[in-house]
Amino acid sequence: MELAYIPSPSRGVLYLGPIPLRGYAFCIIIGVFVAVWLGNKRWVARGGRPGSVADIAVWAVPFGLVGGRLYHVITDYELYFSPGRNWVDAFKVWEGGLGIWGAIALGAVGAWIGARRMGVALPAYADAVAPGIAFAQAIGRWGNWFNQELYGHETHLPWALHITSSEGGRVPGYYHPTFLYESLWCVGVGFLVIWADRRFKLGHGRAFALYVAAYCTGRAWIEYMRVDDAHHILGVRLNVWTAIVVFLLAVTYLVLSARRRPGREAVVEQGASDDPDAGDGEAESTDQAKVDVTKAEKAEKAEKAEPEAEAEAGVKDTADSGKKG
């Protein structure tokens, strides 16, 4: 008898009348809100406009969901297109199955479209939202808990996950809660990016690259623990290979970017200072600066004129004295 374990929910969906409320969907939605909220705070601190992060997220999030689902369906196509399977299930996102690699890749395309429309520097935007994405992943992983999925080898540790469902080939028992391991890892990645960004003033997409590299490091060893079916290359799970390749690309970008474009972007959003209120303040300060410059010029001219006047007066006095003599 197990004295301690993590229980699985008896079901992952509640019904509000005919409307299903799914735990998996709620975790994804909450994660998106956290990412946008934190990203907005960081964006404003970098000199961007409030609300720009949310406006770009309107493009990035749908693209990310489509990309995540596409990656999952393509890499696990036999779940939907093999004999006895129903291809319509490929569209049932609420049942789980979003690949982070596809979500980030296609989400970046959506962010690029939104950024271009708004005159936003995409690398700076990526830096602003990077830790929020990590926290969103940490929250989203709890959706796997609601669906009783994403667990590892059998274990009798006190934090073992108790799987009770036998659907989809599951075998009830006690397993490593790899969803929890990845959730905690993502929290650590989020705080790492925040610290490194403050400490080293990361710019030009390097904070985002750090997030990618750190996440891939954890994903590689967590992926090894999983027992769900997956494609293998040379005896290694496909997602492990993906994590290794993406990690190398992220580190390469970090090194090359730091050499070619050190420091941060001076301007992250075109016209960010064109706010009506900010514009009035700038106009007033500009007018005041002009007045100050005019006064300074007059004072400088007066200072130069005084010695000349004194010299002329001295010459005149000398000439008068000579006449009198």
Side-chain angles (χ1 to χ4, degrees):
M1 179 179 179
E2 297 293 333
L3 298 179
Y5 59 84
I6 300 173
S8 291
S10 58
R11 53 181 176 172
V13 57
L14 298 175
Y15 287 90
L16 184 62
I19 303 174
L21 305 176
R22 302 181 184 277
Y24 186 88
F26 270 112
C27 291
I28 297 296
I29 293 170
I30 293 171
V32 170
F33 273 105
V34 169
V36 171
W37 170 78
L38 180 58
N40 183 69
K41 290 190 65 175
R42 288 170 52 82
W43 183 248
V44 172
R46 287 287 304 275
R49 286 176 174 170
S52 293
V53 169
D55 291 339
I56 296 176
V58 170
W59 289 88
V61 172
F63 273 72
L65 290 174
V66 172
R69 189 59 175 178
L70 279 175
Y71 181 89
H72 168 72
V73 172
I74 292 172
T75 55
D76 292 301
Y77 62 89
E78 64 278 355
L79 298 177
Y80 308 100
F81 302 105
S82 60
R85 300 284 186 171
N86 187 355
W87 63 271
V88 177
D89 292 341
F91 297 95
K92 297 179 180 179
V93 181
W94 55 88
E95 293 183 354
L98 290 174
I100 185 61
W101 317 111
I104 294 297
L106 210 54
V109 174
W112 175 76
I113 295 173
R116 279 183 61 88
R117 290 169 61 91
M118 298 184 61
V120 165
L122 183 59
Y125 177 84
D127 286 340
V129 301
I133 293 176
F135 293 138
Q137 286 180 252
I139 297 170
R141 276 306 178 201
W142 284 87
N144 301 122
W145 176 69
F146 281 102
N147 286 353
Q148 294 201 38
E149 59 187 1
L150 200 62
Y151 50 88
H153 297 284
E154 192 172 4
T155 182
H156 297 288
L157 291 170
W159 55 84
L161 175 66
H162 187 197
I163 296 297
T164 58
S165 174
S166 57
E167 296 181 5
R170 297 183 183 91
V171 177
Y174 299 90
Y175 301 90
H176 277 286
T178 52
F179 84 91
L180 177 61
Y181 299 160
E182 186 167 336
S183 178
L184 295 175
W185 183 268
C186 287
V187 171
V189 170
F191 283 116
L192 170 66
V193 174
I194 290 174
W195 170 81
D197 195 27
R198 291 177 178 174
R199 175 67 177 79
F200 302 105
K201 304 297 182 184
L202 301 176
H204 300 285
R206 288 189 287 276
F208 185 81
L210 175 62
Y211 144 72
V212 172
Y215 171 74
C216 290
T217 303
R219 180 61 185 268
W221 67 264
I222 293 171
E223 191 72 24
Y224 261 118
M225 303 181 69
R226 292 173 57 173
V227 294
D228 53 309
D229 293 332
H231 293 287
H232 290 70
I233 300 176
L234 300 178
V236 179
R237 291 171 68 99
L238 174 61
N239 280 333
V240 175
W241 285 111
T242 305
I244 292 172
V245 172
V246 176
F247 169 83
L248 293 175
L249 291 174
V251 172
T252 301
Y253 179 86
L254 267 171
V255 174
L256 295 180
S257 175
R259 290 179 179 176
R260 296 178 179 179
R261 307 185 71 183
R264 280 182 171 175
E265 299 88 342
V267 178
V268 298
E269 183 172 3
Q270 295 177 10
S273 60
D274 291 344
D275 236 292
D277 296 336
D280 294 342
E282 286 183 7
E284 291 176 4
S285 60
T286 301
D287 293 340
Q288 183 61 43
K290 290 180 179 179
V291 172
D292 293 341
V293 170
T294 302
K295 289 182 178 179
E297 289 177 349
K298 290 181 178 179
E300 187 178 352
K301 289 179 180 180
E303 290 177 359
K304 290 181 179 179
E306 285 179 4
E308 293 177 358
E310 290 177 358
E312 290 178 358
V315 172
K316 186 176 180 181
D317 292 341
T318 304
D320 292 342
S321 299
K323 289 178 182 181
K324 290 179 181 179

